[in-house]
């Protein structure tokens, strides 16, 4: 992990981008590291594009700005790839993690990405584990597989705290995405 890892999440209102970034940050803090999480969005309405930011560091984080040069992009809504350039500012060494039924190789070819690509069919996993088309907790597992920033147990703890009785399905969703992530070699 770099000195400070910066992650930009892309989704739509109601898809849980903000929640996932917050829960991930809480798990990082629970393990004694430092993290920030905050959203950025235009009109607050379901379905509008939403960007959430996540910073992770072993040292106190002093910067308080949007993330313009992310190390990682997490794309919860793959339709955004055809509508906006989510890759703006992504570091040359960056990675794009996309909720998609396509393999990492297929997605990279389709969009001509020069960065590392990882995919997981988080929507399918969510439908099978929580019976809802909300892929955010699955994408938490995918992100952790790529960055290995926290123990999965720490993320599970945060999901239990947030979702209570509904946590089991979300934990299963996150774990399956971690296990099923397709990363290009």
């Amino acid at each position: 992990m770099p000195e400070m890892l910066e992650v930009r999440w892309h989704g739509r209102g109601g898809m849980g981008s903000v929640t996932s970034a917050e829960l991930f940050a809480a798990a990082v803090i629970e393990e004694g590291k430092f993290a920030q999480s905050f959203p950025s969005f235009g009109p607050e309405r379901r379905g509008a594009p939403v960007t959430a930011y996540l910073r992770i560091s072993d040292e106190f984080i002093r910067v308080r700005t949007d993330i313009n040069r992310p190390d990682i992009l997490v794309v919860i809504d793959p339709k955004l790839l055809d509508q906006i350039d989510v890759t703006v500012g992504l570091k040359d060494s960056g990675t794009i993690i996309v909720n998609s039924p396509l393999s990492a190789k297929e997605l990279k070819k389709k969009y001509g990405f020069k960065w590392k690509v990882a995919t997981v069919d988080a929507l399918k996993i969510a439908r099978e584990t929580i019976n809802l088309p909300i892929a955010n907790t699955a994408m938490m597992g995918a992100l952790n597989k790529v960055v290995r920033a926290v123990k999965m147990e720490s993320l599970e703890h945060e999901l239990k705290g947030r979702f209570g009785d509904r946590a089991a399905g979300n934990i299963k969703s996150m774990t399956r995405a971690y296990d099923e992530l397709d990363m290009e070699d």
Side-chain angles (χ1 to χ4, degrees), residues 91-131:
K91 292 177 182 171
D92 290 341
S93 61
T95 301
I96 305 168
I97 307 168
V98 182
N99 164 24
S100 175
L102 298 176
S103 72
K105 186 176 181 179
E106 291 169 326
L107 194 98
K108 185 172 188 165
K109 182 178 179 183
K110 178 178 179 178
Y111 291 98
F113 291 143
K114 64 180 181 180
W115 304 273
K116 291 180 186 172
V117 174
T119 62
V120 66
D121 196 345
L123 191 57
K124 177 185 174 207
I125 291 171
R127 286 186 172 129
E128 292 174 358
T129 57
I130 62 173
N131 299 315

Side-chain angles (χ1 to χ4, degrees), residues 10-78:
H10 291 275
R12 294 187 185 276
M15 289 185 160
S17 304
V18 173
T19 299
S20 291
E22 288 174 358
L23 292 172
F24 210 99
V28 168
I29 292 166
E30 186 71 26
E31 289 191 5
K33 299 175 195 167
F34 296 89
Q36 287 180 349
S37 171
F38 52 98
S40 175
F41 41 80
E44 295 185 48
R45 63 179 172 82
R46 185 172 292 279
V50 171
T51 305
Y53 303 103
L54 171 65
R55 284 192 178 97
I56 301 170
S57 180
D58 290 328
E59 298 177 7
F60 184 77
I61 302 169
R62 297 188 188 291
V63 64
R64 301 278 189 243
T65 61
D66 290 351
I67 296 173
N68 297 315
R69 298 276 302 146
D71 299 289
I72 307 285
L73 295 177
V74 178
V75 182
I76 295 179
D77 182 3

Side-chain angles (χ1 to χ4, degrees), residues 8 16 31 47 61 79 93 98 115 143 155 163-164 167 179 184:
R8 195 169 64 207
E31 289 191 5
I61 302 169
K79 293 176 186 168
S93 61
V98 182
W115 304 273
L143 173 61
L155 292 172
F163 295 109
D179 292 337
E184 64 172 329

Side-chain angles (χ1 to χ4, degrees), residues 77-176:
D77 182 3
K79 293 176 186 168
L80 290 172
L81 297 175
D82 295 319
Q83 297 169 358
I84 60 174
D85 184 2
V86 299
T87 66
V88 169
L90 182 61
K91 292 177 182 171
D92 290 341
S93 61
T95 301
I96 305 168
I97 307 168
V98 182
N99 164 24
S100 175
L102 298 176
S103 72
K105 186 176 181 179
E106 291 169 326
L107 194 98
K108 185 172 188 165
K109 182 178 179 183
K110 178 178 179 178
Y111 291 98
F113 291 143
K114 64 180 181 180
W115 304 273
K116 291 180 186 172
V117 174
T119 62
V120 66
D121 196 345
L123 191 57
K124 177 185 174 207
I125 291 171
R127 286 186 172 129
E128 292 174 358
T129 57
I130 62 173
N131 299 315
L132 292 169
I134 302 174
N136 66 319
T137 54
M139 295 304 286
M140 289 173 62
L143 173 61
N144 203 39
K145 178 76 173 248
V146 171
V147 300
R148 300 184 193 268
V150 293
K151 297 176 192 150
M152 290 295 282
E153 295 82 15
S154 298
L155 292 172
E156 289 174 14
H157 175 76
E158 295 305 322
L159 290 175
K160 287 175 185 173
R162 175 60 78 105
F163 295 109
D165 294 340
R166 297 184 325 246
N170 284 285
I171 291 168
K172 192 173 198 177
S173 180
M174 179 180 67
T175 303
R176 273 193 53 194

